């Protein structure tokens, strides 16, 4: 049995689908703070299997223990956490409590039940502002906001756990910019309120619920002056987790691994690709830079290729198409 925390969330749900398709038994823990129960129906519709679900909070250790007591868990893929950078600056204590305490609770119960295999959702945010792309895993790490701090701290906590007990097997997956949706259009990203991230914002402009996109700066030292990022299809990202799981089953230790395509796209390139897929113009205006943004951020994905035999395969056009199809399907339902 594989435990997926945050398994009804955006990346978690796509990963659960692929775990089931790969023949794993899956149990999900989620407190539904940022996802909905009907995701389970969609997972069942895609795979024919309804994963076991516990509506519990990682902050409640007794509840977490109950899941380990009732199931024979061999490994954990740990997605559960808060993830909005801006919000983390407003309510840092909630972020530290949820992300750090939640992870500590989980690890303590894992240790008690001798389940020592974990794949953790880290982020390219741990590379901070000063490293030059392509980013490799051995670069110095830093964080510029409470959300990023939690990712960095959890990476360090997990490294310390391994130092204390070399039976642990830990994969720290550093995601670049996950976008897109399941090719069935049944699963995708549906942020509450006004989106902070580029592609969910563009999707809502295309759909008509937002008037126009604000492009944060056109004076960066990039191909067209706008920020460059490594966008990765969420299904490619999910596949990385299945391979990371296979890896932790075979190798003890701690490995930080980038999951990115190795290619950067500018904001204007993303707008153009989205316009092609949705068949409409995306109105936009250039505004000032957003504080804390870097000009260019993309991965060197060689380590994932070497260790996991993983490579991203989907193009920016496919990412935009799946994002748009999901938007159209969700709007209809
Ligand atoms: P998401 O919000 O869609 O999924 C996270 C899930 O965890 C949600 O379903 C939420 O209800 C649940 N959750 C949160 N706190 C919980 C708790 N205390 N107990 C139980 N459940 C809890 O986010 P996502 O985009 O799928 O991201 C998954 C992970 O990947 C997060 O840790 C995030 O920080 C990390 N990550 C995401 C991105 C991205 O751009 N989406 C990039 C880098 C890293
Ligand atoms: C975001 C997170 C970061 C996380 C990363 C990967 C923020 C501030 N940072 O970074 O912690 O590791 O995702 O998931 O949320 N843009 C606009 N207009 C918009 C929104 C964005 O022009 O309305 C631009 C940005 O300036 C940037 C690019 O689009 O150049 C991508 O932005 P975004 O989707 O927010 O991702 P990141 O900033 O890379």
């Amino acid at each position: 049995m594989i435990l997926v925390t945050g398994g009804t969330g955006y990346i978690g749900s796509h990963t659960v689908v692929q775990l089931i398709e790969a023949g794993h038994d899956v149990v999900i823990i989620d407190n539904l703070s940022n996802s909905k129960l009907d995701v389970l129906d969609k997972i069942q519709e895609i795979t024919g299997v309804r994963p076991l679900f516990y509506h519990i909070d990682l902050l409640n250790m007794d509840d977490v223990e109950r899941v380990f007591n009732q199931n024979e868990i061999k490994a954990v893929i740990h997605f559960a956490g808060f993830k909005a950078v801006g919000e983390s600056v407003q309510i840092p204590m909630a972020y530290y409590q949820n992300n750090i305490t939640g992870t500590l609770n989980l690890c303590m119960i894992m240790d008690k039940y001798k389940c020592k295999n974990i794949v953790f959702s880290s982020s390219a945010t741990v590379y901070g502002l000063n490293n030059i792309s392509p980013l490799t895993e051995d670069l110095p790490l830093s964080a510029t906001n409470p959300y990023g701090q939690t990712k960095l701290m959890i990476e360090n906590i997990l490294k310390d756990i391994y130092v204390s007990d070399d039976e642990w097997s830990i994969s720290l997956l550093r995601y670049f910019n996950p976008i897109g949706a399941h090719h069935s259009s049944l699963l995708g990203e549906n942020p509450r309120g006004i989106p902070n991230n580029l592609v969910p914002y563009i999707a809502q402009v295309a759909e008509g619920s937002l008037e126009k996109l604000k492009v944060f700066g056109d004076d960066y030292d990039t191909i067209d002056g706008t920020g460059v990022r490594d966008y990765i299809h969420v299904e490619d990202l999910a596949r990385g987790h299945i391979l990371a799981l296979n890896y932790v089953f075979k190798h003890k230790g701690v490995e930080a691994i980038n999951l990115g395509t190795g290619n950067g796209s500018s904001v204007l390139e993303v707008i153009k690709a989205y316009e092609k897929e949705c068949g409409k113009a995306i109105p936009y205006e250039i505004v000032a830079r957003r504080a804390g943004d870097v000009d260019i951020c993309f991965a060197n994905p060689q380590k994932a290729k070497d260790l996991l035999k993983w490579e991203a395969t989907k193009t920016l056009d496919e990412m935009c198409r799946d994002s748009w199809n999901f938007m159209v399907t969700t709007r209809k339902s």
Side-chain angles (χ1 to χ4, degrees):
M1 192 74 117
I2 309 299
L3 171 63
V4 181
T5 74
T8 46
Y10 172 48
I11 306 169
S13 57
H14 289 82
T15 303
V16 167
V17 163
Q18 293 193 23
L19 283 168
I20 294 171
E21 287 171 348
H24 293 286
D25 292 324
V26 176
V27 52
I28 295 175
I29 286 180
D30 204 298
N31 65 1
L32 303 179
S33 58
N34 198 35
S35 55
K36 295 200 178 119
L37 204 53
D38 71 358
V39 166
L40 295 175
D41 301 333
K42 313 285 180 184
I43 293 173
Q44 185 170 9
E45 202 173 329
I46 296 168
T47 63
V49 175
R50 194 174 186 85
L52 198 54
F53 177 71
Y54 287 78
H55 181 189
I56 67 174
D57 195 311
L58 287 181
L59 295 180
N60 187 325
M61 213 159 165
D62 292 340
D63 281 351
V64 178
E65 174 148 17
R66 188 159 51 86
V67 178
F68 280 80
N69 212 348
Q70 293 175 355
N71 300 279
E72 200 180 312
I73 299 186
K74 294 205 175 73
V76 178
I77 307 185
H78 178 34
F79 294 102
F82 293 156
K83 64 163 182 177
V85 172
E87 185 184 63
S88 79
V89 177
Q90 305 302 320
I91 50 167
M93 288 184 280
Y95 269 69
Y96 287 116
Q97 182 185 41
N98 194 55
N99 294 5
I100 304 290
T101 308
T103 302
L104 277 176
N105 286 349
L106 175 69
C107 290
M108 283 193 271
I109 299 296
M110 288 178 70
D111 195 47
K112 183 166 174 186
Y113 285 78
K114 301 198 173 5
C115 168
K116 299 183 180 181
N117 300 312
I118 184 166
V119 175
F120 170 62
S121 299
S122 189
S123 166
T125 193
V126 300
Y127 291 114
L129 300 179
N130 298 321
N131 290 308
I132 307 289
S133 295
L135 300 165
T136 49
E137 290 83 352
D138 53 356
L139 287 167
L141 306 178
S142 62
T144 52
N145 54 69
Y147 166 72
Q149 293 286 5
T150 68
K151 291 296 171 194
L152 197 49
M153 284 180 193
I154 295 169
E155 285 206 4
N156 287 331
I157 290 169
L158 291 170
K159 286 172 189 166
D160 285 342
I161 289 176
Y162 176 71
V163 169
S164 75
D165 176 358
D166 63 10
E167 284 299 303
W168 279 78
S169 182
I170 299 166
S171 184
L172 311 170
L173 299 182
R174 295 182 183 155
Y175 313 156
F176 281 69
N177 291 58
I179 60 168
H182 194 263
H183 61 275
S184 65
S185 301
L186 290 169
L187 297 172
E189 189 176 18
N190 212 345
R192 287 172 307 169
I194 297 178
N196 298 306
N197 299 112
L198 180 65
V199 171
Y201 201 105
I202 291 180
Q204 292 199 17
V205 173
E207 184 253 345
S209 52
L210 291 171
E211 193 193 334
K212 62 177 156 183
L213 173 73
K214 292 187 179 68
V215 175
F216 297 140
D218 68 348
D219 55 353
Y220 287 109
D221 188 13
T222 62
I223 172 177
D224 54 25
T226 64
V228 165
R229 297 289 183 275
D230 188 340
Y231 297 95
I232 172 168
H233 196 295
V234 65
E235 290 189 285
D236 275 332
L237 191 69
R239 189 165 43 81
H241 292 74
I242 314 303
L243 296 169
L245 186 68
N246 295 341
Y247 186 84
V248 295
F249 278 136
K250 292 196 196 112
H251 304 85
K252 299 197 189 305
V254 194
E255 292 290 352
I257 304 172
N258 288 339
L259 292 183
T261 65
N263 301 311
S265 305
S266 74
V267 176
L268 296 183
E269 285 172 332
V270 176
I271 294 174
K272 213 173 276 167
Y274 213 98
E275 285 178 332
K276 197 166 79 186
E277 297 305 328
C278 74
K280 306 175 189 190
I282 307 290
Y284 69 87
E285 63 175 327
I286 309 288
V287 300
R289 292 180 178 196
R290 181 172 67 181
D293 271 355
V294 290
D295 52 355
I296 300 181
C297 173
F298 64 93
N300 176 333
Q302 190 59 42
K303 189 170 175 186
K305 202 170 171 180
D306 293 341
L307 295 191
L308 308 182
K309 313 291 171 226
W310 175 91
E311 245 182 312
T313 58
K314 294 192 182 245
T315 62
L316 182 62
D317 287 352
E318 289 172 284
M319 300 177 211
C320 294
R321 187 179 319 151
D322 288 339
S323 159
W324 175 240
N325 287 340
F326 175 70
M327 174 52 93
V328 172
T329 311
T330 331
R331 193 181 40 181
K332 272 197 220 132
S333 62

